[in-house]
Amino acid sequence: MKFAFVSDLHAYHPADGAPKGGVSFLPANPGTSDPDPFGDLTKTVARESITADLVICGGDIGDKADARGFQYAWTKLNTLKTQLGASELVATCGNHDLDSRFLGTDDDPDPKGALQTITPQFPFPDTALTNQFWARNFAITHPLPGVLALVLNTSAYHGGASGELNHGRISKRTIDAIKVDLAACDPADLNILLCHHHVRPLKGLWGNAPDAEFMKKGGELLNAVTQCTASPWLVLHGHRHIPNLEHSLDPSCVVIGASSFSQQMQGRLNQFHILDVEVDASGPQPLRGTIESWSWTVSGGWQRRPVLNEEEGFPPICGFGTTLLPRAITPRLSELLGSEPSYMKWADILQHIPDIAFMTPAHFRQMEEILKRENIVLYRDRDGRISQIGRAA
């Protein structure tokens, strides 16, 4: 199964007479001289024949409750679904999508009101599902055969108590309701949890300040859903604008956070991801897959490109799901190369040791450091993808 995953678009409508430029590279209805990530993505999808079974969006589609920006980006996401040949667009809202600071008209202080007038209907074409999402802060859908998607509104309490604006939240009542609804569903081969805020604290974004923006009770939610189902969970989130890839305490649960699609942030790449997911409930690795990422620049459009560090973005391709640690893989690589100076194509290596394709970026970096100590070097092409491995003299 292939999923196109984007998040944090932050589309905005430029104010009349305002100078060019904004918080993101996604102005609504861009002119010929404006940045146009969606226009560039259309060209890349056609050029590389990219396809996906689902398009998934982790929220913050608009910026600062900009309804016209949201409408523009939501329309583009629906068009992208068609371009990729996907069967459905699965999306949730983020904190920027809700008018939680009541920036709209004084006689309509409704944080979610504008989103309920969007066309096509948000977040689901089905009115009953959409009503449940807004009324109960979640909805469960079945976008593909054998796939269950739990779509969560982690910004549901924004616009209430003042402190709620600073983080996401799920209540115990909502967790209990989710457990009841999951129990009534037929077992799925793969479960997807889509939310905007991350489920646990991560590294703080601002110096040494701790991360306080995560979803309150997110850990309780993960424990609940993994315990009441017998198949893997893929948790997809946004909000952070930097990638996140981790395995939860449950061995069949993987958490992936997207880079921002178009927000302007120094030292961070704007990225579009394709997740290629494999599910094998009877095997030792019930959930594994690869993440292919394209990065966008004003002058170059969408391209695969190397990354300088883990916070800049995902590498052009990485994986998740293998149970083998770097120290278990490096001796096998050394044995394949032999003791004398030699080289092998990376594609041939993957035939011998397929688990390498499913290593996380962190484990891959550790493996590469171990190999360097043995004078084994990985050679990358201009896009940052490994093409060859060799033992130096």
Side-chain angles (χ1 to χ4, degrees):
M1 291 175 285
K2 286 189 175 182
F3 306 145
F5 184 29
V6 300
S7 191
D8 295 87
L9 291 72
H10 289 272
Y12 70 99
H13 186 274
D16 294 337
K20 294 285 186 180
V23 296
S24 80
F25 293 110
L26 200 62
N29 305 309
T32 55
S33 62
D34 293 330
D36 187 10
F38 272 113
D40 292 337
L41 187 55
T42 296
K43 299 173 186 175
T44 300
V45 167
R47 183 179 65 248
E48 301 192 25
S49 300
I50 302 172
T51 61
D53 299 299
L54 296 176
V55 175
I56 300 176
C57 181
D60 275 3
I61 296 170
D63 187 75
K64 297 183 180 65
D66 188 324
R68 288 188 289 182
F70 187 101
Q71 177 67 75
Y72 167 77
W74 182 239
T75 300
K76 288 295 184 181
L77 285 170
N78 278 272
T79 301
L80 179 62
K81 179 194 75 171
T82 302
Q83 292 168 341
L84 292 170
S87 61
E88 287 197 29
L89 166 58
V90 183
T92 190
C93 57
N95 50 295
H96 272 265
D97 298 322
L98 298 172
D99 190 8
S100 52
R101 288 177 169 84
F102 306 112
L103 302 176
T105 58
D106 293 336
D107 61 351
D108 186 22
D110 182 0
K112 64 183 184 294
L115 299 186
Q116 293 176 318
T117 65
I118 292 294
T119 303
Q121 185 171 263
F122 177 85
F124 303 103
D126 183 89
T127 299
L129 276 177
T130 295
N131 288 343
Q132 177 176 339
F133 177 83
W134 292 122
R136 303 182 67 194
N137 306 329
F138 78 94
I140 294 175
T141 183
H142 302 272
L144 293 172
V147 176
L148 178 150
L150 167 59
V151 183
L152 191 63
N153 180 7
T154 57
S155 303
Y157 298 94
H158 289 205
S162 59
E164 291 297 317
L165 294 172
N166 301 320
H167 53 73
R169 181 182 294 281
I170 182 171
S171 70
K172 184 179 183 304
R173 288 187 297 274
T174 302
I175 294 174
D176 290 341
I178 288 171
K179 290 165 62 177
V180 171
D181 283 12
L182 286 176
C185 293
D186 292 333
D189 299 323
L190 173 66
N191 303 290
I192 298 172
L193 168 60
L194 176 62
C195 50
H196 180 65
H197 295 85
H198 40 299
V199 295
R200 70 171 187 88
L202 300 173
K203 179 181 177 182
L205 291 176
W206 317 114
N208 296 320
D211 175 21
E213 298 183 10
F214 62 97
M215 182 200 318
K216 305 303 180 185
K217 296 188 181 297
E220 295 179 32
L221 171 66
L222 269 192
N223 289 337
V225 298
T226 55
Q227 289 176 18
C228 68
T229 53
S231 49
W233 279 87
L234 179 63
V235 180
L236 302 176
H237 72 83
H239 189 64
R240 294 276 294 182
H241 299 179
I242 56 176
N244 176 44
L245 175 54
E246 56 183 323
H247 292 79
S248 76
L249 294 177
D250 188 293
S252 64
C253 180
V254 176
V255 180
I256 301 175
S259 300
S260 170
F261 182 82
S262 44
Q263 171 84 354
Q264 294 192 41
M265 291 188 71
Q266 186 174 5
R268 310 278 167 75
L269 293 174
N270 298 120
Q271 293 191 315
F272 163 80
H273 312 292
I274 292 287
L275 281 55
D276 194 344
V277 179
E278 299 179 12
V279 179
D280 181 7
S282 62
Q285 301 167 357
L287 178 61
R288 67 181 190 177
T290 59
I291 306 170
E292 195 167 7
S293 298
W294 288 256
S295 301
W296 183 86
T297 60
V298 173
S299 59
W302 293 99
Q303 299 177 354
R304 297 178 183 85
R305 57 168 290 177
V307 295
L308 300 177
N309 55 65
E310 62 182 6
E311 293 191 354
E312 189 178 34
F314 276 131
I317 191 163
C318 62
F320 58 89
T322 182
T323 57
L324 292 180
L325 295 176
R327 288 191 178 277
I329 292 178
T330 49
R332 297 171 64 180
L333 286 170
S334 182
E335 182 181 359
L336 284 172
L337 288 170
S339 58
E340 299 298 323
S342 60
Y343 298 87
M344 287 185 69
K345 293 181 179 179
W346 191 245
D348 294 335
I349 291 291
L350 293 177
Q351 290 292 323
H352 287 281
I353 316 175
D355 279 276
I356 293 179
F358 307 110
M359 295 179 71
T360 64
H363 279 173
F364 202 94
R365 285 191 296 270
Q366 293 169 8
M367 181 189 73
E368 193 165 2
E369 288 301 316
I370 296 171
L371 291 173
K372 286 179 181 178
R373 294 198 288 268
E374 299 185 23
N375 291 325
I376 298 175
V377 181
L378 301 180
Y379 297 91
R380 291 172 168 83
D381 61 22
R382 59 181 294 179
D383 295 333
R385 293 177 291 183
I386 299 170
S387 58
Q388 199 174 50
I389 183 173
R391 186 188 295 276

